[in-house]
Amino acid sequence: MTDSYQAALEFLYGRIDYEQATAMPYGSRELKLDRMRELLRRLDDPQNRLPIVHVAGTKGKGSTAAMIAAVLTAAGYSTGLYTSPHLDRLEERFRVDGRLCGEEELAELTDRLRPVVAEMDREAHAVGESGPTYFELTTALGLLHFVARRVDAAVLEVGMGGRLDSTNVCQPRVTVITSISFDHTKQLGNTLQAIAREKAGIVKPDIPLVSGVTIEEPRREIERICRQRSAPLIQLGRDFDFSYHAPAEVETTVACPSIDFVSHTQGREQFQRAVQVGLLGEHQGANAAVALAVVDQLRSQGWSISEAAARRGLAEVAWPARIEVVARRPTVILDAAHNVASIAALVKTLDESFSCRDRLLVFATTQEKQVAQMLRLLLPRFNRVIFTRYQNNPRGVPPEELAALALKTTGTAADVRVHPAAAWQRVHELAAETDLVCVTGSFFIAAEMRGQIAARPLGSLQIASAVRAQTIG
């Protein structure tokens, strides 16, 4: 690690304030787009030099963005992918054709930001406001990186919400909403209609929106906003659909699910059968269908994307901590599910694609989540439970509180381990070769346990060295 790279990380991480982010009203000055637009203006508006696909949604937006990017790369387009959060390295947020931004490149891009941020800080403080936030800076870095690499396309994942998200300064070729469910209710609203309104804030006049939303209440709100903005709307269940074919006994063999995809958007039915998907779960089948519908829209705009390229991209897509099998004998699954809908998707996939009878859960989560509902879904599926708490963010729920809640809601007694390293040590003590171990509840626990798993393998390790095994350059 060079001094310039370390200085870049210190500068960027110095903009984080978790406690402020937790309490910050979503509609406050801190989350308006004026500052983001001004930051990009001073950087010569990199977003205006990129053909963009913009992806929002309560769950599935990262996976869907990764799928779209993988298909575009397979079709021969140099493609940037901006996502958040990261698991191990900040550079995971900025990829070009699957390759992470290099350390020196990150340092050079950050040096370009410094004088602009310093000037904006001075101007903001003079009127009692704040300068650019961490997420605004990482979004700007991603856009600068993609312009420097001269990509043919960029896929941007929304961080939170949509309407006021820092990514919502672009003029995309296609917009996407993957799903709507309850999460971040303090910031986005406590009804599905209100959440849908915030997500649909990315809809632009005359720009097509591909929607994977099937719940009636948010679907109606998205339809209303698209009509209001004259945005063509392509919907799962109306304009395209899919059927999912789950693999079985994945603990014993590497097996991919597949989908049959049907589209009605070109004036006739078009089928693509047995399309392999590199990610497990029916929810990933839905995400793949949304990605294919996006491909249809890009084709109609003149993009050259063959069916073979679409199939290859979806089959080869890899996205860590999404029902990721990281070891076998015992089977160890890492999943970043952190709300009720994503936990439900995880449970469904475990039931249909894994046959291990004895299951061990390692769980940690974040304050203000629907923890009791999450535990009600999870706990009946596991024989043994370990609660822990991630260390790199102060918003974690104390494991003692999780254990008390589990006992109260389901009568489940659990082990408590304050540190993820101690939780992983307990897994070593308890897990037999034929068991299934599942780590879930938060991106933060997925990140920290991924490092523990790589450092102290259990069974036949599938990942070489956590996220550092990914190509960087």
Side-chain angles (χ1 to χ4, degrees):
M1 183 183 297
T2 64
D3 290 344
S4 59
Y5 173 67
Q6 181 62 39
L9 294 182
E10 289 174 358
F11 171 75
L12 294 168
Y13 288 142
R15 312 297 295 197
I16 295 176
D17 186 338
Y18 290 117
E19 298 300 301
Q20 182 185 17
T22 302
M24 187 186 296
Y26 186 62
S28 74
R29 171 66 180 85
E30 299 304 315
L31 286 171
K32 289 183 179 177
L33 292 178
D34 305 13
R35 184 175 54 209
M36 185 66 193
R37 291 193 181 100
E38 179 60 21
L39 172 63
L40 293 178
R41 185 190 68 78
R42 298 183 190 204
L43 296 168
D44 300 323
D45 285 316
Q47 78 281 7
N48 293 340
R49 288 176 274 168
L50 297 165
I52 288 170
V53 177
H54 197 195
V55 185
T58 302
K59 66 182 183 71
K61 62 184 186 294
S63 299
T64 304
M67 290 176 183
I68 295 166
V71 169
L72 288 171
T73 294
Y77 292 102
S78 177
T79 305
L81 174 63
Y82 175 70
T83 60
S84 62
H86 61 272
L87 287 171
D88 187 58
R89 302 174 66 95
L90 179 66
E91 302 93 292
E92 294 166 40
R93 295 176 181 235
F94 335 111
R95 308 167 190 250
V96 175
D97 297 330
R99 298 174 68 87
L100 276 60
C101 177
E103 292 183 0
E104 286 308 307
E105 188 167 11
L106 178 67
E108 291 171 6
L109 293 171
T110 303
D111 284 343
R112 185 177 173 188
L113 281 181
R114 288 177 190 275
V116 173
V117 173
E119 182 64 23
M120 290 184 69
D121 280 348
R122 284 192 294 271
E123 294 171 2
H125 295 163
V127 294
E129 296 180 351
S130 300
T133 66
Y134 168 73
F135 189 75
E136 287 168 347
L137 295 186
T138 58
T139 302
L141 281 173
L143 294 168
L144 290 173
H145 177 52
F146 300 153
V147 168
R149 287 296 185 96
R150 299 182 179 180
V151 301
D152 301 312
V155 184
L156 306 184
E157 179 199 3
V158 167
M160 180 178 69
R163 181 174 63 92
L164 298 179
D165 188 78
S166 297
T167 61
N168 198 27
V169 292
C170 61
Q171 185 68 15
R173 303 298 176 85
V174 182
T175 56
V176 184
I177 300 176
T178 58
S179 67
I180 300 292
S181 56
F182 288 105
D183 200 12
H184 300 296
T185 54
K186 183 174 181 179
Q187 294 87 356
L188 304 181
N190 56 12
T191 68
L192 293 179
Q193 181 183 26
I195 293 170
R197 188 178 308 122
E198 293 297 335
K199 304 288 185 186
I202 70 168
V203 174
K204 305 294 189 298
D206 303 316
I207 302 299
L209 170 71
V210 175
S211 173
V213 178
T214 56
I215 301 172
E216 187 62 25
E217 180 185 3
R219 186 169 176 151
R220 285 198 305 269
E221 184 66 11
I222 292 168
E223 290 172 345
R224 182 188 68 79
I225 291 170
C226 285
R227 284 195 303 271
Q228 186 181 72
R229 300 179 188 176
S230 300
L233 176 58
I234 301 91
Q235 297 189 79
L236 176 62
R238 188 191 72 179
D239 304 295
F240 67 97
D241 217 329
F242 76 102
S243 55
Y244 176 74
H245 307 290
E249 299 185 354
V250 177
E251 68 273 11
T252 63
T253 184
V254 178
C256 283
S258 66
I259 64 168
D260 297 329
F261 175 78
V262 58
S263 171
H264 312 280
T265 58
Q266 304 301 318
R268 59 187 176 85
E269 280 195 340
Q270 298 182 76
F271 291 92
Q272 295 181 53
R273 301 190 187 279
V275 179
Q276 287 197 327
V277 181
L279 303 175
L280 284 169
E282 186 172 5
H283 59 298
Q284 297 292 7
N287 293 335
V290 168
L292 288 173
V294 170
V295 168
D296 279 348
Q297 290 304 303
L298 291 173
R299 285 180 181 137
S300 70
Q301 297 176 25
W303 295 65
S304 178
I305 307 169
S306 68
E307 181 177 332
R311 286 178 177 272
R312 186 164 65 252
L314 290 178
E316 295 177 356
V317 67
W319 205 230
R322 276 69 171 186
I323 314 186
E324 180 188 16
V325 179
V326 296
R328 286 189 167 87
R329 300 191 63 80
T331 299
V332 181
I333 294 169
L334 198 63
D335 189 67
H338 57 281
N339 57 39
V340 173
S342 54
I343 290 291
L346 167 63
V347 165
K348 185 175 189 296
T349 305
L350 292 179
D351 287 348
E352 68 188 2
S353 289
F354 296 87
S355 60
C356 302
R357 295 180 60 186
D358 292 320
R359 297 178 175 184
L360 171 59
L361 173 68
V362 180
F363 184 87
T365 196
T366 304
Q367 297 167 15
E368 299 180 358
K369 298 293 183 180
Q370 295 176 302
V371 181
Q373 294 94 317
M374 293 162 71
L375 292 179
R376 286 191 187 98
L377 289 172
L378 278 170
L379 296 181
R381 264 70 174 198
F382 290 87
N383 309 88
R384 290 162 293 184
V385 178
I386 301 170
F387 290 122
T388 187
R389 181 177 184 172
Y390 45 78
Q391 303 297 299
N392 291 332
N393 186 306
R395 294 165 56 199
V397 179
E400 299 85 359
E401 289 185 17
L402 293 173
L405 185 59
L407 196 60
K408 178 182 177 181
T409 57
T410 66
T412 301
D415 278 358
V416 169
R417 296 294 184 268
V418 174
H419 195 283
W424 187 237
Q425 173 59 38
R426 187 59 174 152
V427 171
H428 274 264
E429 295 167 0
L430 292 176
E433 282 194 354
T434 56
D435 288 356
L436 181 146
V437 179
C438 180
V439 179
T440 193
S442 166
F443 274 100
F444 298 111
I445 193 60
E448 293 186 26
M449 288 298 294
R450 191 173 170 85
Q452 293 293 329
I453 293 165
R456 298 188 60 223
L458 179 66
S460 175
L461 192 67
Q462 305 295 306
I463 52 173
S465 57
V467 178
R468 288 189 176 86
Q470 297 177 75
T471 303
I472 302 174

